[in-house]
C-alpha cells in the first residue's frame, strides 16, 4: 500500500512538473514573441521620442539664432540705405565695420559666432565680421571667393527660391578641420517687402553637438543632421565601415531631394530613424545598433527563465505536500475496501472533511448500505415467492394424479352425457394447472382473465349461477404483463367476503384503463363492503413487513409483490362503503420488462 501511495505521489508530481513546464514553455514562447515585439516597439518609440526631444531643443536653438538675425531690422539707417539705389561700393565704404558692431551687439559669446556677412541683392559684400583670423581659425573674407569650398551654391539656390524661411546650410572649414553651420536670412524692404539683401551667419557646432550628445544612447549610435537638397550639416558618433555605404547612399539621396518620409527601418542590425524639423529645412537621422534596443528584451528573457525555475521548484514542493494530503485519506479508503472485499461488509469508512474524498467515502458507505438493503429485499422476496409456492403446493398431493383424475372424470361425464360435469372438470383442471405452474413470475392480463373465468365457472356451478361477472377491458391491455395470480385472489376475496352475505343480485365488474404510461385495473363488487381504511393502513407499510401475514396470497401478498417488482409507486388501493360494495384498484406500468427475482 505504501508503494501504491508512493506511485500516486510520483505520478502526481511528474504530471505537475510536465504540465507546468509545458505550460510555462508555451506561455514563455508566446510571451517572448508578444512581449519582445512590444518591448522593441516601446524602445523604438522611446528612441524616436528621444529624437523628437532633440529636435525640439535644436529648433529652439536655431530659433534663437533667427531671432538675433531678425534684429537687423532695428538698424533703420542700414535698412534704409540698403533699400536706396546707392551703389554697392558706397554702401561698403559706409558700413565697412557695421558687421563687427552688429555681431557684438546682437549675439552672445556663448553662441560661438564664427563669421557674419551682409550682402545686397547683387551678391556684393557690404560688410563682414570674422571672429579670428589665424592659420588655425581662418574664415573666408567672402563666401563667394571659393564657392565650392564654402558651399555657396546652397546659398545661391536659396536666394533664387521664394522661400522666406531662414536657410540652414553648412560647409567644411579646412583651416579648422571642422564643420560650420551656416544660417542665411533674406532682408526685405520695410515699405514694399522687396528683397534688398541678405545676411549670412557661420556658427561653430559646439552647441549643436552638446544637444545631440544629450539624447544619444552611447557612442555606438550614429546621428547626423542634413537639410534636404544639401550636404550633411553635422555628424555625431562613430561611423563604422558597415554603415559608411549606407550613410553615403542616404546623404546623396537627401542631397538629391529624394528623402523617404519613413520614421523607422532596419539596416544591417541598425535601426534607422528619420525626423524632419518643423519650419526649417532640416532633418535628423539616427542609426542605432539593434542590440541597444534589445537590452530590455534580454533582461526580460533572463527574468522569464528565473520565474520558470522558481515556479517549478515551488510547484514541486507544493505538489509534494498536496499529494501527501490527498493520498493519506485515500490510503485509508483503499485499506478499508480491501477488508470489505474480504467479506467484512460491516465496515464503514470514516468521513472527514466534506471535500471530494469525504464525499467519496460517504458515497461508498451509502453504496454498502444500499447493497445490504437490496440483499435483505432479495432474500425476503425469495421467501415471499417460496411461501406462495408452498401455500399452493399444500393444496396438491400429487398434481399429475389430480390432473389425470379430473381428465378421467371429464371423459366419463361425456360418455354418460353429463356435459356440465365435463365442463366443470376441465375448469378445475385449468385452475390447478395455472395455479401450480410457478415457472414464470409474470403472466398477462389475458391469461389472468381466463384463469378468473375458470374460477367463476366453478363458483357459479356451486352457487347456481348466483354471481354475474362483467369484463370491460381495452384490447391493448390484454397483453400487458402482470404478476402471476394477481387478479383471481382479489375476485376470490370479493366472493368470500363481499358477496357471501349479500342479499339480492350479486355482481363483479372487472375494468381496465390506460393513464399515461400506467395501466389501472379495477375489480368491483356490490357486496356488503369491508373496513378499507384498516386494510389500506396495513398495505401502506414496508413490503417486507407484510410477508408474515396469514393471507400470504391475499391482498397484502399481491400488493407487496407489485411494489417489489415495479416500485413503490405501484400496488393496490382500496375503496369501500358499507352495503355499497368495494373496489380494488391495481396500478401497474404499461411497459414492464419481466423481472428475474430468483
Amino acid at each position: 500500500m505504501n508503494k501504491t501511495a508512493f506511485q500516486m505521489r510520483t505520478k502526481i508530481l511528474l504530471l505537475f512538473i510536465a504540465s507546468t513546464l509545458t505550460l510555462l514553455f508555451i506561455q514563455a514562447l508566446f510571451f517572448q514573441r508578444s512581449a519582445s515585439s512590444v518591448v522593441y516597439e516601446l524602445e523604438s518609440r522611446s528612441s524616436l521620442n528621444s529624437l523628437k526631444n532633440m529636435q525640439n531643443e535644436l529648433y529652439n536653438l536655431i530659433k534663437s539664432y533667427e531671432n538675433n538675425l531678425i534684429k537687423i531690422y532695428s538698424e533703420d539707417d542700414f535698412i534704409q540705405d540698403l533699400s536706396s539705389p546707392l551703389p554697392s561700393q558706397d554702401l561698403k565704404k559706409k558700413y565697412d565695420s557695421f558687421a563687427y558692431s552688429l555681431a557684438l551687439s546682437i549675439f552672445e559669446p556663448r553662441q560661438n559666432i564664427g563669421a557674419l556677412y551682409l550682402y545686397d541683392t547683387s551678391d556684393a559684400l557690404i560688410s563682414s565680421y570674422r571672429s579670428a583670423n589665424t592659420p588655425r581659425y581662418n574664415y573666408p573674407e567672402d563666401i563667394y571667393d571659393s564657392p565650392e569650398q564654402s558651399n555657396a551654391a546652397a546659398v545661391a539656390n536659396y536666394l533664387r527660391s521664394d522661400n522666406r524661411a531662414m536657410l540652414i546650410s553648412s560647409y567644411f572649414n579646412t583651416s579648422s578641420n571642422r564643420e560650420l553651420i551656416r544660417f542665411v536670412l533674406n532682408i526685405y524692404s520695410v515699405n514694399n517687402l522687396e528683397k534688398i539683401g541678405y545676411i549670412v551667419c557661420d556658427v561653430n557646432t559646439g552647441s549643436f553637438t552638446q544637444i545631440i550628445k544629450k539624447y544619444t544612447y552611447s557612442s555606438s549610435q550614429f546621428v547626423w543632421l542634413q537639410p534636404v537638397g544639401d550636404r550633411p550639416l553635422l555628424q555625431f558618433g562613430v561611423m563604422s565601415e558597415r554603415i559608411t555605404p549606407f550613410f553615403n547612399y542616404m546623404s546623396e539621396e537627401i542631397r538629391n531631394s529624394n528623402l523617404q518620409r519613413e520614421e523607422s527601418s532596419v539596416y544591417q542590425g541598425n535601426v534607422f530613424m528619420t525626423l524632419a524639423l518643423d519650419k526649417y529645412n532640416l532633418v535628423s537621422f539616427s542609426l542605432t545598433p539593434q542590440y541597444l534596443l534589445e537590452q530590455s528584451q534580454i533582461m526580460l528573457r533572463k527574468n522569464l527563465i528565473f520565474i520558470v525555475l522558481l515556479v517549478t521548484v515551488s510547484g514541486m514542493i507544493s505538489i509534494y505536500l498536496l499529494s501527501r494530503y490527498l493520498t493519506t485519506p485515500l490510503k485509508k479508503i483503499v485499506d478499508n475496501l480491501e477488508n470489505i472485499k474480504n467479506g467484512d461488509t460491516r465496515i464503514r469508512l470514516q468521513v472527514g472533511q466534506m471535500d471530494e474524498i469525504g464525499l467519496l467515502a460517504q458515497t461508498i458507505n451509502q453504496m454498502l448500505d444500499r447493497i445490504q438493503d437490496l440483499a435483505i429485499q432479495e432474500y425476503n422476496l425469495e421467501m415471499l415467492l417460496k411461501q406462495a409456492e408452498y401455500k399452493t403446493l399444500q393444496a396438491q398431493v400429487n398434481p399429475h394424479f389430480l390432473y389425470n383424475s379430473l381428465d378421467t372424470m371429464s371423459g366419463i361425464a361425456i360418455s354418460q352425457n353429463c356435459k356440465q360435469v365435463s365442463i366443470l372438470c376441465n375448469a378445475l383442471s385449468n385452475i390447478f394447472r395455472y395455479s401450480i405452474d410457478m415457472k414464470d413470475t409474470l403472466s398477462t392480463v389475458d391469461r389472468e382473465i381466463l384463469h378468473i373465468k375458470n374460477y367463476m365457472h366453478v363458483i357459479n356451478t356451486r352457487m347456481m349461477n348466483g354471481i354475474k361477472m362483467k369484463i370491460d377491458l381495452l384490447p391493448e391491455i390484454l397483453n400487458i404483463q402482470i404478476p402471476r395470480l394477481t387478479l383471481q385472489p382479489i375476485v376470490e376475496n370479493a366472493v368470500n367476503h363481499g358477496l357471501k352475505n349479500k342479499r339480492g343480485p350479486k355482481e363483479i365488474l372487472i375494468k381496465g384503463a390506460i393513464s399515461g404510461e400506467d395501466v389501472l385495473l379495477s375489480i368491483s363488487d356490490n357486496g356488503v363492503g369491508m373496513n378499507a381504511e384498516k386494510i389500506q393502513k396495513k398495505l401502506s407499510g414496508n413490503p417486507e413487513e407484510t410477508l408474515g401475514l396469514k393471507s400470504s396470497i391475499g391482498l397484502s401478498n399481491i400488493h407487496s409483490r407489485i411494489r417489489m417488482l415495479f416500485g413503490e409507486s405501484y400496488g393496490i388501493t382500496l375503496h369501500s362503503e358499507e352495503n355499497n360494495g368495494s373496489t380494488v384498484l391495481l396500478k401497474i406500468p404499461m411497459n414492464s420488462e419481466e423481472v428475474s427475482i430468483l
Side-chain angles (χ1 to χ4, degrees), residues 17-29:
I17 293 174
S19 59
T20 301
L21 288 177
T22 302
L23 292 175
L24 286 175
F25 176 77
I26 295 174
Q27 183 184 15
L29 185 63

Side-chain angles (χ1 to χ4, degrees), residues 25-307:
F25 176 77
I26 295 174
Q27 183 184 15
L29 185 63
F30 281 101
F31 184 75
Q32 171 67 21
R33 291 186 178 179
S34 59
S36 294
S37 59
V38 171
V39 171
Y40 181 79
E41 180 66 22
L42 290 175
E43 291 293 339
S44 298
R45 288 183 181 178
S46 176
S47 180
L48 185 61
N49 290 333
S50 179
L51 197 63
K52 289 180 178 179
N53 292 333
M54 182 188 75
Q55 285 280 59
N56 290 335
E57 283 206 37
L58 290 175
Y59 176 85
N60 293 331
L61 179 61
I62 294 171
K63 187 66 177 177
S64 66
Y65 283 105
E66 183 180 23
N67 291 336
N68 289 336
L69 292 177
I70 291 176
K71 291 178 181 179
I72 188 71
Y73 288 99
S74 63
E75 303 295 333
D76 297 334
D77 294 339
F78 176 75
I79 296 299
Q80 186 175 358
D81 289 340
L82 195 62
S83 302
S84 66
L86 288 174
S88 301
Q89 293 297 327
D90 295 340
L91 290 173
K92 186 175 182 179
K93 289 179 181 179
K94 185 176 180 179
Y95 295 99
D96 182 53
S97 60
F98 178 71
Y100 178 83
S101 59
L102 185 65
L104 296 179
S105 63
I106 65 176
F107 290 103
E108 298 178 6
R110 61 183 178 83
Q111 290 181 297
N112 296 321
I113 301 299
L116 187 68
Y117 306 94
L118 296 170
Y119 291 92
D120 61 9
T121 54
S122 63
D123 299 330
L125 181 63
I126 305 301
S127 180
S128 65
Y129 161 76
R130 292 180 293 169
S131 62
N133 190 13
T134 64
R136 179 174 176 81
Y137 298 101
N138 187 19
Y139 300 95
E141 294 183 3
D142 191 335
I143 64 172
Y144 297 108
D145 289 345
S146 301
E148 294 182 0
Q149 200 173 46
S150 61
N151 193 25
V155 179
N157 293 332
Y158 166 74
L159 296 175
R160 288 194 295 269
S161 69
D162 295 330
N163 189 4
R164 289 180 174 269
M166 182 177 67
L167 172 69
I168 304 174
S169 182
S170 66
Y171 80 97
F172 184 77
N173 191 293
T174 55
S175 62
S176 60
N177 194 30
R178 61 180 177 178
E179 294 284 346
L180 289 178
I181 299 175
R182 172 171 290 166
F183 301 112
V184 180
L185 184 68
N186 284 316
I187 302 174
Y188 296 91
S189 171
V190 177
N191 297 327
N192 52 21
L193 298 180
E194 290 184 358
K195 190 183 298 183
I196 58 176
Y198 55 93
I199 183 172
V200 179
C201 179
D202 293 341
V203 179
N204 294 325
T205 60
S207 300
F208 291 83
T209 303
Q210 289 297 323
I211 292 175
I212 296 174
K213 185 177 180 180
K214 179 179 176 181
Y215 292 98
T216 52
Y217 288 96
S218 69
S219 59
S220 301
Q221 186 178 6
F222 182 72
V223 179
W224 84 89
L225 306 177
Q226 183 173 351
V228 178
D230 202 347
R231 62 187 298 277
L233 182 143
L234 178 62
Q235 303 172 28
F236 179 82
V238 179
M239 184 166 55
S240 63
E241 294 181 359
R242 294 180 60 188
I243 65 174
T244 299
F246 179 75
F247 168 75
N248 293 333
Y249 168 76
M250 286 302 302
S251 61
E252 188 63 27
E253 288 290 302
I254 298 164
R255 192 165 189 169
N256 295 328
S257 301
N258 293 329
L259 174 65
Q260 306 220 352
R261 298 285 178 176
E262 58 177 335
E263 290 190 341
S264 181
S265 61
V266 178
Y267 172 77
Q268 291 189 0
N270 292 276
V271 179
F272 176 64
M273 296 183 180
T274 63
L275 190 64
L277 193 65
D278 294 337
K279 182 179 178 180
Y280 303 111
N281 186 26
L282 183 65
V283 184
S284 298
F285 302 90
S286 172
L287 271 172
T288 305
Q290 201 162 6
Y291 73 85
L292 290 177
L293 300 181
E294 293 175 350
Q295 290 297 321
S296 298
Q297 292 175 275
I298 296 172
M299 289 299 299
L300 177 66
R301 201 174 296 121
K302 291 180 179 179
N303 291 336
L304 197 58
I305 294 173
F306 174 75
I307 292 172

Side-chain angles (χ1 to χ4, degrees), residues 329-367:
L330 286 176
K331 177 180 179 298
K332 295 180 180 179
I333 291 177
V334 173
D335 288 340
N336 289 327
L337 289 177
E338 286 288 335
N339 295 329
I340 293 171
K341 184 182 71 173
N342 294 330
D344 191 359
T345 58
R346 295 172 299 175
I347 295 178
R348 293 296 181 267
L349 305 178
Q350 294 182 354
V351 180
Q353 296 180 353
M354 289 306 295
D355 53 5
E356 286 80 359
I357 297 177
L359 291 175
L360 174 63
Q362 187 180 44
T363 303
I364 292 175
N365 290 338
Q366 292 174 353
M367 180 186 67

